[in-house]
Amino acid sequence: MTSAPQVPTLRFETLDGAVAAMRERGLRLSTPRRLILEDLFAADGPVSAEYVARRLSLDVASVYRNLETMERHGLIRHVHLGHGPGLYVLVGRGEREHLYCEGCGAVRTVEPEELDSLRDGVRERFGFSVRFTHFPIVGLCPRCAALETVSDGASHAADPEHQHSHGDHVHSHSHPHGG
């Protein structure tokens, strides 16, 4: 099985930078593409095509086609968090990797360097180079891990300020009193 060649990701910090990156890749900036880019910039974290289509009142097939085109050209990446649909996120601000709590759905986005010691350990022990941009590290957040020893209930992440997955999108919010 042959996979498509990996297109280098582009660097951009702003919507104008993303538009310029699209044009550098020879992509036309249609109205739906601009709306999708604006929505991705406004999102707290990765979002599904269905979520974007619903928010923008666009045809979901059109949103998928545009997201896939932008991914092929290195503007966005999709990630799988939990059992929900693939979620899309801009990559112009740099690669991010994710930790996902299968207890409460909390998502922690981390810089790749923060996982280098883990990556080094896997490479030393198994000779395998690992990345967590497409699939996250899945486990339990500190709060759910502590609750697992006390009961079977799930709660929110120990950090009162965190990202949380609702299956079709990730958003930031806080919980009073840390849970």
Side-chain angles (χ1 to χ4, degrees), residues 47-125:
V47 294
S48 72
E50 291 84 0
Y51 183 77
V52 171
R54 206 170 40 248
R55 285 175 42 99
L56 299 176
S57 299
L58 294 173
D59 176 64
V60 71
S62 171
V63 171
Y64 267 113
R65 279 191 306 273
N66 281 296
L67 289 170
E68 288 169 1
T69 297
M70 288 189 275
E71 185 171 24
R72 264 193 324 273
H73 289 274
L75 285 114
I76 64 172
R77 175 179 305 279
H78 75 273
V79 62
H80 295 276
L81 302 177
H83 298 288
L87 304 178
Y88 295 86
V89 64
L90 293 164
V91 295
R93 296 175 179 156
E95 291 289 345
R96 299 291 189 276
E97 296 182 320
H98 308 280
L99 307 174
Y100 176 78
C101 178
E102 61 191 351
C104 68
V107 177
R108 179 159 178 211
T109 302
V110 298
E111 297 292 330
E113 304 82 50
E114 294 179 79
L115 299 175
D116 280 348
S117 63
L118 173 64
R119 220 180 318 281
D120 292 344
V122 171
R123 188 177 12 261
E124 286 172 20
R125 179 149 184 200

